[in-house]
Amino acid sequence: MSKYDTYFQMAVGDVVDFTLKKTKDYIDWDIETMEAIVPPEHGNLNHVYRVLDGKGNSIFIKQASRTLRISEDMTATLDRNRLESELLIIQDKYVPGMVPKIYFYDTVMSASGMEDCTDYTVMRNAMLAHEIFPHFADDISTFMVNTLLMTSDVVMNHVEKKKRIKEFINPDLCDITEKLVLMEPYMDLYDRNNVYPPNADFVQKELYNDEALHLEVAKLKFNFMTNAQALIHGDLHTGSIFISQNNTKVFDPEFGTFAPMGYDTGNVIANLVFAYGNGLVYDKKDFCQWVLDTIRDTLDLFIEKFTLLYEQEATEPMAKIDGFKEWYLNSILDDTAGYAGTELHRRTVGMANVTDLTTIEDEEKRSLAERICIYLGKELILNQANYRTGDDYVRAVYESEKKAKASL
Amino acid sequence: MSKYDTYFQMAVGDVVDFTLKKTKDYIDWDIETMEAIVPPEHGNLNHVYRVLDGKGNSIFIKQASRTLRISEDMTATLDRNRLESELLIIQDKYVPGMVPKIYFYDTVMSASGMEDCTDYTVMRNAMLAHEIFPHFADDISTFMVNTLLMTSDVVMNHVEKKKRIKEFINPDLCDITEKLVLMEPYMDLYDRNNVYPPNADFVQKELYNDEALHLEVAKLKFNFMTNAQALIHGDLHTGSIFISQNNTKVFDPEFGTFAPMGYDTGNVIANLVFAYGNGLVYDKKDFCQWVLDTIRDTLDLFIEKFTLLYEQEATEPMAKIDGFKEWYLNSILDDTAGYAGTELHRRTVGMANVTDLTTIEDEEKRSLAERICIYLGKELILNQANYRTGDDYVRAVYESEKKAKASL
């Protein structure tokens, strides 16, 4: 019997021993100087440790806990750690080096050993400091096109894909998305939204009382629940992205499942808009321009690379019929706008807000940044078919800004 | 070690012993007079035996074989028998008595023991004899509404539904549908379509050369592959229905999986049209009128009962938003028309034809019946949004009949 034959929640003191046991065959640890620390950045769902030694070896250990750090009321299967590790291994095949390397995962302890990416910054934090990353649009569009299109029925063998769907059915995490993203921002059903009090009436009017908006969100919710289009990351926000001046690594795919591609693309765009709102109220003009360029380029490069890869890799005969690619891409672009909208709303008024907005101390400025997100989200959800190019988004950001200013 | 600890394909001589072993605790067999026979009706995928005794006990034994009876080239996992038995048990909960009772299923032997329904007729055969079943529209609409709506996200708990999706992922059988139904009738990709030679040019022109049609079929194919809407039967044709003057029992759900509801509803309508074509060329006016009434009533009763059950049973808060039910039902009606169209085509020109058409000996009459199905299928696929009531279908049958007559 080993200490690790039954799951227990490790304390920091257990982690060195566990790491050594799991990795001693391929990492040449200096045992004397090995230590485990809790890094300042934590996810909402897991316990994360950094293990390092005096020789420069280091690794991250991520263990799923039985209750979610975000809320003790919510539980998620420990299996999410297995799922995340397997997903990172698959993604690494389609976008080599663009996700952290997985050293191991231990199904009993629900813990994985993962590449230490502390020389990168979490993108949301870097953008809070108004840093600029000119390569990001190029990187993230490659990441999305390759991971999404290659796992869709356009390319993947259908029998193989159905086996993958089975492997990545993710009921607990999908339940969180279905409630926190695709319902509660519009009806606060469980009384756990975090609405900024100065915007309470605005939220009531624009989100809670708009039945036409609710109908479109309901369609997006059902689309998310039923459309097993591709293996998505499922939580592709700037807090799930490590970035440096040269590279981008996407992590934390524990919400990964087969779902609409537009959920990922929409999340990226929405989270860039939060950064824009922050930059705007702190009057960071260059930063704001870079964010808008990045929104535009991310979408345009996604379309360009998607079209190219589709032509190169499509295996499904019916996907090669004239007009199908365009129809398929347009449905992804509809979804992109729709889910960008729901992400804009849920991160502004839902349970899990973003620091891009919550760290704005001035009341009027925070109200303004939030209203831009709320107006833009509504516009995107209600007029999905109008969003076909990057410029369409940039224009809509400016218009929402104008509307938000006028509303204050 | 029992004889049945490892899978083998049973011969008729093994079946009595196997049946006794599995059912002796709850069926009081008269062992002396027990015998197993191969019934005249066989499915395409399984070996079926009827076991009976002199006291009136009887049961059906269905064993999955490694190769499909329809073609030695095609294989399907033996697991399909487990899936079918579990599905019948679930359906029996939603429509008690409308599916054959399952006595047992044996995962090792991939064999199930099922209620003997030999006092019923297979509906396709009864319709070949132009028999009329006035209760059918009422029964089948109840069957579809209850099995489909209750297993959709409108009603079923989403976490529970995702576990069910996992259980009913059906890669091998879906692969058959995706190829035989949703591709080959339009491009004969594997050179195994069965096209009636006098209609060869017609099929070339109307099905193989129509790119606009192919595009719509491609969308239907992707919808089938990705849209896990509800737990469908998956092969709901008149050969999968036992009928009597009083009752209806649906069997053979081995293609069951989570897929668009309209696949089931469309199949029922298409298979009624085959019966209509047969009745027409044999000049059976009362029968034809009953078939058309049944098409109309099946659709109208489906809509009526669906609406009622939705209002009673919907649990999903977003499904209760004004306008959502109508939007959701319309998408099912679109799919109904689309998949009725693909079924009309594949059963006329694909690998698995229907006896309703193939038994018509007169060349011109068979050509006519087939062309009605081909024209109607195209109309339904290309104009899905026009099919909202039963009368829309009846009108389209008449119009296709006119067009088919003019084309000969």
Side-chain angles (χ1 to χ4, degrees):
Chain A
M1 282 287 285
S2 141
K3 181 175 171 188
Y4 308 107
D5 283 352
T6 313
Y7 174 86
F8 67 97
Q9 179 72 63
M10 285 188 282
V12 63
D14 303 306
V15 174
V16 166
D17 178 58
F18 176 72
T19 304
L20 194 58
K21 196 171 166 72
K22 297 298 292 187
T23 63
K24 62 178 186 293
D25 292 343
Y26 51 90
I27 300 181
D28 184 27
W29 292 105
D30 179 45
I31 297 175
E32 294 302 308
T33 58
M34 254 177 113
E35 59 170 330
I37 58 172
V38 177
E41 285 300 322
H42 245 306
N44 285 327
L45 306 182
N46 294 290
H47 292 262
V48 179
Y49 307 93
R50 186 178 180 215
V51 180
L52 64 169
D53 70 7
K55 275 169 63 183
N57 290 310
S58 68
I59 191 172
F60 264 72
I61 302 293
K62 182 169 183 176
Q63 184 180 30
S65 63
R66 288 195 197 274
T67 52
L68 304 188
R69 293 186 64 255
I70 188 175
S71 159
E72 296 249 324
D73 302 341
M74 296 162 74
T75 56
T77 166
L78 298 177
D79 184 54
R80 67 183 189 271
N81 197 277
R82 188 257 326 151
L83 187 150
E84 182 192 55
S85 301
E86 288 185 10
L87 211 152
L88 285 169
I89 291 165
I90 290 174
Q91 290 177 334
D92 196 51
K93 246 183 28 194
Y94 296 121
V95 281
M98 289 193 75
V99 296
K101 176 178 162 61
I102 291 293
Y103 291 98
F104 71 87
Y105 63 94
D106 184 305
T107 49
V108 173
M109 293 294 288
S110 294
S112 58
M114 194 181 297
E115 183 181 350
D116 175 5
C117 297
T118 42
D119 45 342
Y120 288 75
T121 318
V122 172
M123 189 176 180
R124 192 182 305 283
N125 299 341
M127 291 205 298
L128 273 180
H130 309 111
E131 277 186 67
I132 285 173
F133 301 94
H135 63 89
F136 176 70
D138 193 20
D139 284 356
I140 201 70
S141 56
T142 297
F143 176 85
M144 293 193 294
V145 167
N146 290 18
T147 57
L148 298 174
L149 189 56
M150 297 300 285
T151 58
S152 74
D153 286 294
V154 172
V155 178
M156 192 175 262
N157 170 279
H158 306 173
V159 172
E160 170 70 17
K161 175 169 173 264
K162 287 193 184 65
K163 289 175 185 162
R164 291 287 188 194
I165 290 177
K166 192 169 185 167
E167 194 178 348
F168 289 106
I169 293 260
N170 198 347
D172 294 340
L173 282 287
C174 286
D175 188 53
I176 294 176
T177 303
E178 289 157 25
K179 290 188 174 122
L180 290 195
V181 184
L182 300 167
M183 183 162 68
E184 294 178 40
Y186 306 95
M187 39 187 69
D188 200 14
L189 207 62
Y190 304 111
D191 198 23
R192 56 187 181 180
N193 281 354
N194 290 317
V195 176
Y196 185 50
N199 268 339
D201 289 346
F202 183 84
V203 168
Q204 181 76 42
K205 171 170 178 283
E206 296 296 337
L207 295 182
Y208 297 169
N209 293 350
D210 187 337
E211 283 264 328
L213 177 68
H214 296 183
L215 178 57
E216 294 312 309
V217 174
K219 295 177 191 173
L220 288 164
K221 184 174 186 184
F222 271 72
N223 185 44
F224 184 84
M225 290 191 291
T226 53
N227 180 4
Q229 189 175 43
L231 184 53
I232 71 166
H233 178 283
D235 195 26
L236 193 47
H237 60 84
T238 50
S240 302
I241 296 171
F242 288 131
I243 198 156
S244 71
Q245 277 304 314
N246 303 312
N247 292 305
T248 305
K249 271 188 207 284
V250 175
F251 64 104
D252 253 358
E254 59 203 338
F255 284 81
T257 193
F258 279 82
M261 299 185 190
Y263 194 77
D264 276 359
T265 48
N267 264 269
V268 169
I269 289 175
N271 281 276
L272 288 167
V273 174
F274 298 132
Y276 174 80
N278 185 287
L280 180 78
V281 301
Y282 289 110
D283 202 22
K284 302 289 177 182
K285 290 204 170 54
D286 292 351
F287 176 77
C288 284
Q289 189 55 53
W290 167 71
V291 173
L292 292 179
D293 290 348
T294 301
I295 290 172
R296 187 194 61 222
D297 294 350
T298 297
L299 199 86
D300 291 345
L301 287 169
F302 178 85
I303 293 170
E304 186 185 318
K305 293 174 187 178
F306 183 94
T307 304
L308 204 67
L309 194 69
Y310 192 109
E311 277 156 15
Q312 285 168 0
E313 299 287 346
T315 60
E316 161 58 41
M318 302 295 274
K320 298 177 186 172
I321 287 164
D322 263 3
F324 187 80
K325 184 179 74 240
E326 292 72 15
W327 173 82
Y328 191 70
L329 179 59
N330 278 340
S331 81
I332 296 166
L333 296 178
D334 282 351
D335 290 347
T336 300
Y339 294 117
T342 55
E343 177 74 0
L344 281 164
H345 291 155
R346 75 102 167 192
R347 292 291 200 169
T348 306
V349 308
M351 189 183 186
N353 310 115
V354 280
T355 47
D356 316 56
L357 299 173
T358 57
T359 57
I360 302 171
E361 287 183 7
D362 179 88
E363 183 178 310
E364 190 172 329
K365 286 178 174 169
R366 178 165 170 188
S367 295
L368 172 69
E370 289 195 355
R371 289 180 183 203
I372 293 173
C373 296
I374 291 170
Y375 276 134
L376 179 62
K378 290 187 68 168
E379 163 61 22
L380 295 174
I381 292 169
L382 292 169
N383 299 295
Q384 294 165 32
N386 293 350
Y387 291 85
R388 290 290 179 263
T389 72
D391 274 337
D392 296 334
Y393 282 89
V394 173
R395 219 170 9 244
V397 172
Y398 282 132
E399 276 160 27
S400 302
E401 194 178 319
K402 243 186 280 175
K403 257 178 105 172
K405 280 178 179 158
S407 79
L408 281 165
Chain B
M1 284 287 285
S2 143
K3 182 176 172 188
Y4 308 107
D5 283 351
T6 313
Y7 175 86
F8 66 97
Q9 179 72 63
M10 287 188 283
V12 62
D14 303 307
V15 174
V16 166
D17 179 56
F18 176 72
T19 304
L20 194 57
K21 196 173 165 70
K22 298 297 293 187
T23 62
K24 62 178 184 293
D25 291 343
Y26 51 89
I27 301 182
D28 184 28
W29 292 106
D30 180 45
I31 297 175
E32 294 303 308
T33 57
M34 253 178 113
E35 60 170 330
I37 58 172
V38 177
E41 285 300 323
H42 244 307
N44 286 324
L45 306 181
N46 295 291
H47 292 263
V48 179
Y49 307 94
R50 185 178 181 215
V51 180
L52 64 170
D53 69 8
K55 274 169 62 182
N57 290 310
S58 68
I59 190 172
F60 264 71
I61 302 293
K62 182 167 183 176
Q63 185 180 30
S65 63
R66 287 196 196 275
T67 54
L68 303 189
R69 294 186 66 253
I70 188 175
S71 158
E72 296 250 325
D73 301 342
M74 295 162 74
T75 56
T77 167
L78 298 176
D79 183 53
R80 67 183 188 272
N81 197 276
R82 189 259 324 154
L83 188 149
E84 182 191 55
S85 301
E86 288 186 9
L87 211 150
L88 285 169
I89 291 165
I90 290 174
Q91 289 177 335
D92 196 50
K93 244 182 29 192
Y94 295 121
V95 281
M98 289 194 74
V99 295
K101 176 178 162 62
I102 291 293
Y103 289 97
F104 70 87
Y105 65 95
D106 184 308
T107 49
V108 173
M109 292 296 285
S110 294
S112 57
M114 193 181 297
E115 182 182 351
D116 174 6
C117 298
T118 42
D119 46 341
Y120 288 74
T121 317
V122 172
M123 188 175 179
R124 192 183 304 285
N125 299 340
M127 291 207 295
L128 273 178
H130 308 111
E131 277 186 67
I132 285 174
F133 300 94
H135 63 89
F136 177 69
D138 193 21
D139 284 357
I140 200 69
S141 55
T142 296
F143 176 85
M144 294 193 294
V145 167
N146 290 17
T147 58
L148 298 174
L149 188 55
M150 297 300 285
T151 58
S152 75
D153 286 294
V154 172
V155 178
M156 192 175 262
N157 171 279
H158 307 171
V159 172
E160 169 70 17
K161 174 169 173 265
K162 287 195 181 65
K163 289 175 186 161
R164 290 287 188 195
I165 289 177
K166 191 168 187 168
E167 193 179 350
F168 289 104
I169 293 261
N170 198 347
D172 293 340
L173 282 286
C174 285
D175 189 52
I176 294 176
T177 303
E178 288 157 25
K179 289 187 173 119
L180 290 194
V181 184
L182 299 168
M183 183 163 66
E184 294 178 42
Y186 307 95
M187 39 186 68
D188 200 13
L189 207 62
Y190 305 109
D191 198 23
R192 57 186 180 180
N193 281 355
N194 290 317
V195 176
Y196 185 50
N199 268 341
D201 289 346
F202 183 84
V203 168
Q204 182 76 44
K205 172 169 177 285
E206 296 295 338
L207 296 183
Y208 297 169
N209 293 349
D210 188 338
E211 283 264 327
L213 177 67
H214 296 183
L215 178 57
E216 295 311 310
V217 174
K219 296 177 192 173
L220 288 165
K221 185 175 184 183
F222 272 72
N223 185 44
F224 183 84
M225 291 191 290
T226 53
N227 180 4
Q229 187 174 44
L231 184 53
I232 70 167
H233 178 283
D235 195 25
L236 193 47
H237 60 84
T238 50
S240 301
I241 296 170
F242 288 131
I243 199 158
S244 71
Q245 277 305 314
N246 302 313
N247 292 306
T248 305
K249 271 188 206 284
V250 175
F251 63 105
D252 253 359
E254 61 202 338
F255 283 82
T257 193
F258 279 82
M261 299 185 191
Y263 194 78
D264 277 359
T265 48
N267 264 269
V268 169
I269 289 174
N271 280 276
L272 288 167
V273 173
F274 298 132
Y276 174 82
N278 184 286
L280 180 79
V281 301
Y282 288 111
D283 203 23
K284 303 287 178 183
K285 290 202 172 54
D286 291 350
F287 176 77
C288 284
Q289 190 54 54
W290 168 71
V291 173
L292 292 179
D293 290 348
T294 302
I295 291 172
R296 187 194 62 221
D297 293 349
T298 297
L299 199 85
D300 291 344
L301 287 170
F302 178 84
I303 294 170
E304 186 184 319
K305 293 175 187 177
F306 184 95
T307 304
L308 203 67
L309 194 68
Y310 193 109
E311 279 156 15
Q312 285 169 359
E313 299 287 345
T315 60
E316 162 58 42
M318 303 295 274
K320 298 176 187 173
I321 287 165
D322 263 3
F324 187 79
K325 184 178 74 240
E326 292 71 17
W327 173 82
Y328 191 72
L329 178 60
N330 278 340
S331 82
I332 296 167
L333 296 177
D334 282 351
D335 291 346
T336 300
Y339 294 117
T342 56
E343 176 75 0
L344 281 164
H345 291 155
R346 75 101 168 194
R347 293 289 200 171
T348 306
V349 308
M351 190 184 188
N353 310 115
V354 280
T355 47
D356 315 56
L357 298 172
T358 57
T359 56
I360 302 171
E361 287 184 7
D362 180 86
E363 183 177 310
E364 192 173 326
K365 287 178 175 168
R366 176 164 171 188
S367 295
L368 172 69
E370 289 196 355
R371 288 179 183 204
I372 293 172
C373 296
I374 291 170
Y375 276 135
L376 178 62
K378 291 187 66 167
E379 163 61 22
L380 295 175
I381 292 169
L382 292 169
N383 298 296
Q384 293 165 32
N386 293 349
Y387 292 86
R388 290 289 179 265
T389 71
D391 274 337
D392 296 333
Y393 282 89
V394 173
R395 219 168 11 244
V397 172
Y398 283 131
E399 274 161 27
S400 302
E401 193 178 320
K402 245 187 276 174
K403 257 179 103 172
K405 281 178 177 156
S407 78
L408 280 164

